[in-house]
Amino acid sequence: MNPAGSSQFEHDSRLVHAGNGVYEGELSAAWAIGAVPNGGYVMAIACRALAAALDLPHPASMTGHYLAPTEAGPVRIETQIIRRGRRISTATARLMQGDQERVRFTGAFTDFALSTGIDLTTVSPPEISGIAHCVPITELTPRPVAIHDRILARLDPDTASHWHSGDPAADTQLRAWLGFADGADPNVFSLPLFADALPPPLFRRVGFSGWVPTVELTVHVHRVPAPGLLRARFVTRHVTGGLLHEDGELWDSAGQLVALSRQLAIINGSAASRESGRSKPVGAPPEGVT
């Protein structure tokens, strides 16, 4: 049971400072895909460690290189401050389980309340049908995925087709409403989670395709999100030699862009998935993968 006033995400991403820039916590199986905690959830926890280490509230940019699969259980995050600036400060984090480094993060942090300068937006929020007319992600995935019990994810009907068998003519875009299943509002630390919570839109063309392990994930946070559901748009424009590039946008309930993401992942690489970071939400793991 969560403490009064604490959301499931807050509870499952909390850390304790162990001294010398080291933070300890636990990765929860509630946010897993198969046996592997979602990479955006893992990044969110690392964001909390770096924000505490730098004493700055907002991640302007966060990049993770996923070196080995994480697992539910104790985690240690070792931070190192690289530079303190007047507006942006930078630090790295090594996410450790046992004696193995699982993910290496680099983050640039700031305080949006002190930000001044030019504002420019040249794109609009995605057009999405009313939530009652959208399709729950749980109706599209071949098998239950733990993380989908924790998030609300509903796809616009125009992007909710062809997921199972694929269609060579389908566009590789999805649009969706995203939020927490327990009704909690999004915050800056949850944006990496939502940037990585859905299956690759490429599945609309090739069908569900086993593990898609992330090599690298970058999330740029633009502002603190307003309360309410997020609008999301994800698109894949390039796949080369089995390396998939995915671009994402997250917009808040006030119609403001709150985060951009870019991800590099491996498609149809079941052997590689045993050595790489984590996978996007899919169906059953390939034989031999747990």
Side-chain angles (χ1 to χ4, degrees), residues 11-160:
H11 177 267
D12 291 343
S13 60
R14 60 187 178 180
L15 295 167
V16 175
H17 188 203
N20 297 319
V22 175
Y23 297 82
E24 295 177 345
E26 186 153 336
L27 298 183
S28 170
W31 305 90
I33 301 151
V36 182
N38 170 266
Y41 163 64
V42 172
M43 178 179 281
I45 293 177
C47 277
R48 290 194 183 279
L50 288 177
L54 289 166
D55 194 25
L56 285 169
H58 304 130
S61 173
M62 190 74 165
T63 296
H65 286 85
Y66 293 79
L67 310 176
T70 57
E71 57 194 41
V75 64
R76 186 175 76 258
I77 301 176
E78 302 172 352
T79 66
Q80 180 181 5
I81 297 172
I82 305 301
R83 179 182 182 272
R84 290 191 184 274
R86 287 182 294 178
R87 180 163 182 172
I88 298 286
S89 294
T90 304
T92 62
R94 301 172 70 232
L95 190 142
M96 309 290 294
Q97 287 191 302
D99 294 326
Q100 185 180 16
E101 182 178 5
R102 307 299 178 97
V103 193
R104 176 70 63 91
F105 293 100
T106 301
F109 281 67
T110 190
D111 186 340
F112 291 141
L114 304 178
S115 296
T116 59
I118 296 172
D119 289 328
L120 173 66
T121 300
T122 62
V123 292
S124 300
E127 294 291 333
I128 306 177
S129 297
I131 192 166
H133 300 288
C134 290
V135 181
I137 190 63
T138 52
E139 295 183 7
L140 300 176
T141 51
R143 293 193 180 187
V145 177
I147 189 175
H148 292 159
D149 292 332
R150 303 299 176 192
I151 63 171
L152 179 153
R154 296 198 176 186
L155 273 61
D156 185 85
D158 287 346
T159 65

Side-chain angles (χ1 to χ4, degrees), residues 215-269:
V215 177
E216 182 265 341
L217 172 65
T218 294
V219 178
H220 292 162
V221 176
H222 285 234
R223 54 176 52 88
V224 177
L229 295 178
L230 299 168
R231 292 174 182 250
R233 174 164 48 206
F234 296 97
V235 61
T236 288
R237 298 183 180 90
H238 308 284
V239 184
T240 305
L243 291 177
L244 175 157
H245 299 260
E246 178 183 304
D247 293 302
E249 302 169 8
L250 296 175
W251 300 75
D252 69 8
S253 61
Q256 298 187 107
L257 181 68
V258 293
L260 295 171
S261 64
R262 168 158 281 195
Q263 182 165 173
L264 176 67
I266 300 171
I267 183 77
N268 284 334

Side-chain angles (χ1 to χ4, degrees), residues 68-69 211 213 269-277 286-290:
W211 291 111
S270 59
S273 73
R274 291 191 284 271
E275 301 175 359
S276 188
E287 183 178 357
V289 176
T290 57

